[in-house]
Structure formats: structure tokens, C-alpha cells
Amino acid sequence: MSADGLPERFDVLVHPAPELRGELRAQPSKNYTTRFLLAAALADGETRVVGAATSEDARALLRCLQDWGAGIAHVESDVVVRGFGARPREGVTLNPGNAGAVARFLMGVAALTTGTTFVTDYAESLGKRPQGDLLEALERLGARVTSEGGRLPVTVSGPVRGGRANVSAERSSQYASALMFLAPLLPDGLDLRLTGDIKSHAPLRQTLATLAAFGVQATASEDLSRVTIPGGQTYRPGRVLVPGDYPGSAAILAAAALRPGEVTLTNLREGDLQGERESVDVLREMGADIVREGDRVMVRGGRPLRAVTRDGDGFTDAVQALTAAASGARGTTTWENVATLRLKECDRISDTRRELERLGLSAAETADSLSVTGVDRIAGGVTADGHGDHRMIMLLTLLGLKAEAPIRITGAHHIRKSYPMFFRHLEQLGAHFEYLETDAR
């Protein structure tokens, strides 16, 4: 059994939920936890990351940071990091598991070392995700890079001095964030130019906010196409507090909107930089009865919902959850400008369309959009494929709560990548699940 009391590998049988009712504290942000832990390791001294996430991504990063020489201690829900500063261990092989952001951030920092190699146990997921835009930028800075066609396994060797650098932000903002973490520790810093149609501005602002929290000076143009970070700086150790997680909370809020009852989530900062905070406004536009008081968000569920058309680029990690809400909305909802969803743990456009159709819904896609037409009833009684993707599992779970008969979701243990307590939290609100132990997948 794992720490959550569930089997190591399992499918989940989701039973219909007549209502959801109760109050939860939002889990800690996965994105901020990752950024804070990395910055803490890049500081000389000891940093306490208060209320860190316990997701698989966080554990993967901590393993890699320890392999690079960081000291890690767990104190209740906090993580204390003794950093290695600008001197990660040389000649180390790091395995970030299936954590794409972790892999990319560390590849950037690897330019401080001589010969860091990155491998993964997830050849069919992270192993297929593109890293070429970041690797090309590192090569232009003078790093030596070897890879399998821009994919893992990858080896990065420094040193590099810095200077002007271009990186494409067309497919992911994580490449630019990786270089931003590296920049202050280089002799010449970085004058970073982001090229192409910049995706996911919010995570870039989270990276800038993390640098500021650790005493690093940086300036950025309003559209984030140029970021300047002087060299010769140091990360300042100290104490940082992880905010609540909006991407995971979007799934709880969408579930609450779909089912009768009343659900309150706390620890959701109103002015947070997470783009997925927009999910609150999207649900409200769809007709959900939502009231915010400070960091508390309350949803009175079971109200009629209506379809919307929205640019989803700012809240890509909430698109799956909001698609579940759209499944019960009157009309056809379309998420536009979401091509980057194709480059996640699965193809979150095509694979989502197929799973929606499996459940009897009408869905459509273009190269960069996903549409779903809402229905009054979902029959259920089928097995759906979780695709090894935590966001897909959230979507299918919400549809199961609304269905007339149970839905089985394969590989549901992959929820631990971002939200280990997802099923337990929904149980606290009145949901009922059966956990069916499976062999390795």
C-alpha cells in the first residue's frame, strides 16, 4: 500500500454521486512546489519550503536534487532543503520519472555541470515528449548536448558563460523557465528572447515570482518576449510558503458544480499568478453558483450550466476538469488555442475526444481546439482509459460522478503525479469509489 492507503497500482470504479457536500483545504500547488524546491537547492544555505506538495512530481524532483548533492529533510508538511548553490555534483545520472517540467528545469541547470545525463522509466510518455527547443538554446550558449532526436535520454555538459539567448516558447513555457533558473548563476547572466507564439504566460510569471522570492533580480517585458537576468547573482535561502493548487482545485470545483450540494475550498489566493485561477470565472460564466470570500471559494451545485467558447491557453491544466463541467452544459463548449495539450502525458485533445465518445458524448477537435456538446445524462457502465494521465483521470472521475451507472477508469494510480489525495478528498465530500488492484502497467 502507498501512503494514501491505496494499492500501488489500481483501477478505480467511480460510483454515481447523488450530491457532494463539505469543506476542503486546497492541496499545495504542484507548480510552485517544483519551483521553490529547485530554487532552494540553488541557494547556498538552508531553505524551508512550507506546505510542500507530496505529488510524484515533487518526489521525483527531490530525488534528483539529492543525487545532485542537496540535503533534504521532511518536517511535518514542510521540506527543508540544504542547497548546493551553483555547484551540483558532476557526472550524475538523473531520473525525473514522468515529470516533464522537472526534467526540463533540471536540463537547464545542468549547464552548470560537466556531464549530467537524464533518463526516464516512462519511455512511452516523457520519453516521447520533445526537448529539442531547450537543447538547441543550450547548445547556442556553448553547452555540449547529446540526445535521441531531441528526446530522452539526454546529456548536458557545461560550462557556459551566458549572454544573449533565444528559445522558442511555441510548444512550452518550460524551456524558458529552465533557462531563467540557470541565468543568475552564469557569469554573464542571460538576455533571453522568447520566440514564436508564447504559450502559458502564467507559469513564466510564476518562475519570475520564484526568482524574486529568492532574491534574484530579473526584468521582463510586459508580453514576456524578453527577460533579462544579470549574472553573478546568488539565490538567497530562507522560508517560502506554497500556495493552494488551482489546477487540481478546478476539478473539485467542477465536480461541485455538476452535482447537487455545497462545497467550499479554502487556501485559494484570489490574486494568485496561476493561470488556472481563471477556472473560477469560467465556471461562473457557465452558470455555476460560485461565491468567493478571500481565499475561500464556495460552489452551490446542481444549477443548470451553459456552454462557453474560451481561449484555453491561460488555463491549460484545468481544461480537462472544465471539459467535465461542459459535458453537463447546454450547447457546445469549445476550448481554443490549446495545441500544447497534445504534448502532455497523453494527447489531451484526441485522447479526450475518444474517451468522451466512448461515454456517449459528442466531441470534436481541430489542430488546436477541443469541443464537447453537453448532455442531460451519461449512461456509464463502461471502462474508460486513463491514458496514464492525471488530468484525464480527473476528467473521467467527474463524468463518473454524474453517470447513471459506475465507470471504471484504468491506471487510476497515475493521479498521484499531481494530486495524491484526489480520491480521498472527493470521498470526504460524499463520493464513493472502489479501488481495484492491478498488475504493473
Side-chain angles (χ1 to χ4, degrees), residues 332-353:
T332 298
T333 292
T334 299
W335 312 118
E336 299 176 331
N337 191 27
V338 291
T340 56
L341 289 178
R342 295 192 183 277
L343 304 174
K344 303 295 185 177
E345 284 78 358
C346 71
D347 182 336
R348 290 185 187 163
I349 294 180
S350 291
D351 290 337
T352 295
R353 175 187 56 76

Short mmCIF file of all heavy atoms in Angstrom, two decimals, residues 332-353:
data_model
loop_
_atom_site.label_atom_id
_atom_site.label_comp_id
_atom_site.label_asym_id
_atom_site.label_seq_id
_atom_site.Cartn_x
_atom_site.Cartn_y
_atom_site.Cartn_z
N THR A 332 -22.66 23.59 -27.04
CA THR A 332 -21.33 23.06 -27.35
C THR A 332 -20.26 24.01 -26.83
O THR A 332 -20.22 25.18 -27.21
CB THR A 332 -21.15 22.87 -28.87
OG1 THR A 332 -22.12 21.91 -29.34
CG2 THR A 332 -19.75 22.36 -29.19
N THR A 333 -19.42 23.50 -25.97
CA THR A 333 -18.30 24.26 -25.42
C THR A 333 -17.06 24.00 -26.25
O THR A 333 -16.77 22.85 -26.63
CB THR A 333 -18.04 23.85 -23.96
OG1 THR A 333 -19.15 24.28 -23.16
CG2 THR A 333 -16.76 24.47 -23.43
N THR A 334 -16.31 25.05 -26.53
CA THR A 334 -15.06 24.92 -27.29
C THR A 334 -13.92 25.59 -26.54
O THR A 334 -14.05 26.75 -26.12
CB THR A 334 -15.18 25.53 -28.69
OG1 THR A 334 -16.21 24.83 -29.41
CG2 THR A 334 -13.86 25.40 -29.46
N TRP A 335 -12.83 24.86 -26.38
CA TRP A 335 -11.59 25.42 -25.85
C TRP A 335 -10.66 25.67 -27.03
O TRP A 335 -10.25 24.73 -27.71
CB TRP A 335 -10.93 24.46 -24.85
CG TRP A 335 -11.86 23.90 -23.81
CD1 TRP A 335 -12.18 22.60 -23.62
CD2 TRP A 335 -12.60 24.64 -22.83
NE1 TRP A 335 -13.07 22.47 -22.59
CE2 TRP A 335 -13.34 23.70 -22.08
CE3 TRP A 335 -12.71 25.99 -22.51
CZ2 TRP A 335 -14.18 24.07 -21.03
CZ3 TRP A 335 -13.54 26.36 -21.46
CH2 TRP A 335 -14.27 25.42 -20.74
N GLU A 336 -10.34 26.92 -27.27
CA GLU A 336 -9.49 27.29 -28.41
C GLU A 336 -8.05 27.51 -27.97
O GLU A 336 -7.77 27.71 -26.78
CB GLU A 336 -10.03 28.58 -29.05
CG GLU A 336 -11.46 28.45 -29.59
CD GLU A 336 -12.02 29.75 -30.12
OE1 GLU A 336 -11.61 30.82 -29.62
OE2 GLU A 336 -12.88 29.70 -31.02
N ASN A 337 -7.12 27.45 -28.93
CA ASN A 337 -5.71 27.78 -28.70
C ASN A 337 -5.10 26.87 -27.62
O ASN A 337 -4.38 27.33 -26.74
CB ASN A 337 -5.57 29.26 -28.30
CG ASN A 337 -4.13 29.74 -28.31
OD1 ASN A 337 -3.28 29.20 -29.03
ND2 ASN A 337 -3.82 30.73 -27.49
N VAL A 338 -5.38 25.58 -27.72
CA VAL A 338 -4.88 24.65 -26.71
C VAL A 338 -4.02 23.54 -27.35
O VAL A 338 -3.99 22.41 -26.87
CB VAL A 338 -6.03 24.03 -25.89
CG1 VAL A 338 -6.68 25.07 -25.00
CG2 VAL A 338 -7.07 23.35 -26.79
N ALA A 339 -3.30 23.89 -28.41
CA ALA A 339 -2.48 22.88 -29.11
C ALA A 339 -1.45 22.23 -28.18
O ALA A 339 -1.08 21.07 -28.38
CB ALA A 339 -1.78 23.52 -30.30
N THR A 340 -0.98 22.96 -27.16
CA THR A 340 0.03 22.39 -26.28
C THR A 340 -0.51 21.20 -25.49
O THR A 340 0.27 20.40 -24.96
CB THR A 340 0.56 23.44 -25.28
OG1 THR A 340 -0.55 23.99 -24.54
CG2 THR A 340 1.28 24.56 -26.00
N LEU A 341 -1.84 21.03 -25.42
CA LEU A 341 -2.40 19.87 -24.75
C LEU A 341 -2.01 18.56 -25.44
O LEU A 341 -2.05 17.49 -24.82
CB LEU A 341 -3.93 19.96 -24.69
CG LEU A 341 -4.52 21.01 -23.76
CD1 LEU A 341 -6.03 21.01 -23.86
CD2 LEU A 341 -4.09 20.76 -22.32
N ARG A 342 -1.61 18.64 -26.68
CA ARG A 342 -1.19 17.43 -27.39
C ARG A 342 0.17 16.93 -26.92
O ARG A 342 0.57 15.81 -27.25
CB ARG A 342 -1.16 17.69 -28.90
CG ARG A 342 -2.52 17.99 -29.51
CD ARG A 342 -2.47 17.95 -31.03
NE ARG A 342 -3.74 18.31 -31.63
CZ ARG A 342 -4.76 17.46 -31.82
NH1 ARG A 342 -4.64 16.21 -31.41
NH2 ARG A 342 -5.88 17.86 -32.39
N LEU A 343 0.89 17.75 -26.18
CA LEU A 343 2.27 17.42 -25.79
C LEU A 343 2.39 17.11 -24.31
O LEU A 343 3.45 17.27 -23.72
CB LEU A 343 3.19 18.59 -26.16
CG LEU A 343 3.16 19.03 -27.62
CD1 LEU A 343 3.99 20.28 -27.83
CD2 LEU A 343 3.65 17.90 -28.52
N LYS A 344 1.31 16.64 -23.71
CA LYS A 344 1.31 16.31 -22.29
C LYS A 344 1.52 14.81 -22.10
O LYS A 344 2.04 14.14 -22.98
CB LYS A 344 0.01 16.78 -21.65
CG LYS A 344 -0.27 18.27 -21.82
CD LYS A 344 0.77 19.13 -21.11
CE LYS A 344 0.43 20.61 -21.19
NZ LYS A 344 1.39 21.47 -20.45
N GLU A 345 1.12 14.28 -20.94
CA GLU A 345 1.30 12.85 -20.68
C GLU A 345 0.61 11.99 -21.72
O GLU A 345 1.00 10.85 -21.99
CB GLU A 345 0.80 12.50 -19.28
CG GLU A 345 1.71 12.92 -18.15
CD GLU A 345 1.63 14.40 -17.81
OE1 GLU A 345 0.87 15.15 -18.47
OE2 GLU A 345 2.31 14.82 -16.88
N CYS A 346 -0.46 12.50 -22.28
CA CYS A 346 -1.09 11.91 -23.46
C CYS A 346 -1.51 13.05 -24.37
O CYS A 346 -1.26 14.21 -24.04
CB CYS A 346 -2.29 11.03 -23.07
SG CYS A 346 -3.74 11.95 -22.48
N ASP A 347 -2.11 12.74 -25.49
CA ASP A 347 -2.66 13.78 -26.36
C ASP A 347 -4.00 14.18 -25.77
O ASP A 347 -5.01 13.49 -25.97
CB ASP A 347 -2.81 13.24 -27.78
CG ASP A 347 -3.33 14.28 -28.76
OD1 ASP A 347 -4.00 15.24 -28.32
OD2 ASP A 347 -3.11 14.13 -29.97
N ARG A 348 -4.02 15.28 -25.02
CA ARG A 348 -5.23 15.64 -24.28
C ARG A 348 -6.32 16.24 -25.16
O ARG A 348 -7.37 16.62 -24.65
CB ARG A 348 -4.88 16.60 -23.14
CG ARG A 348 -4.09 15.95 -22.02
CD ARG A 348 -3.87 16.90 -20.87
NE ARG A 348 -2.96 16.32 -19.88
CZ ARG A 348 -2.34 17.01 -18.94
NH1 ARG A 348 -2.52 18.32 -18.86
NH2 ARG A 348 -1.54 16.40 -18.09
N ILE A 349 -6.08 16.31 -26.46
CA ILE A 349 -7.16 16.69 -27.37
C ILE A 349 -7.77 15.43 -27.99
O ILE A 349 -8.92 15.10 -27.75
CB ILE A 349 -6.66 17.66 -28.45
CG1 ILE A 349 -6.26 19.01 -27.81
CG2 ILE A 349 -7.75 17.88 -29.51
CD1 ILE A 349 -5.76 20.04 -28.78
N SER A 350 -6.97 14.67 -28.74
CA SER A 350 -7.51 13.48 -29.41
C SER A 350 -7.94 12.41 -28.42
O SER A 350 -9.00 11.79 -28.57
CB SER A 350 -6.47 12.91 -30.38
OG SER A 350 -6.28 13.78 -31.48
N ASP A 351 -7.12 12.16 -27.41
CA ASP A 351 -7.46 11.11 -26.45
C ASP A 351 -8.70 11.48 -25.65
O ASP A 351 -9.54 10.62 -25.33
CB ASP A 351 -6.29 10.83 -25.51
CG ASP A 351 -5.12 10.15 -26.23
OD1 ASP A 351 -5.36 9.52 -27.27
OD2 ASP A 351 -3.98 10.26 -25.75
N THR A 352 -8.85 12.76 -25.31
CA THR A 352 -10.06 13.20 -24.61
C THR A 352 -11.29 13.03 -25.49
O THR A 352 -12.33 12.54 -25.04
CB THR A 352 -9.91 14.66 -24.16
OG1 THR A 352 -8.86 14.75 -23.20
CG2 THR A 352 -11.20 15.18 -23.54
N ARG A 353 -11.18 13.42 -26.75
CA ARG A 353 -12.32 13.24 -27.67
C ARG A 353 -12.74 11.78 -27.71
O ARG A 353 -13.94 11.46 -27.61
CB ARG A 353 -11.96 13.72 -29.07
CG ARG A 353 -13.06 13.46 -30.10
CD ARG A 353 -12.62 13.79 -31.52
NE ARG A 353 -11.41 13.08 -31.92
CZ ARG A 353 -11.38 11.79 -32.26
NH1 ARG A 353 -12.48 11.06 -32.23
NH2 ARG A 353 -10.25 11.23 -32.64
#
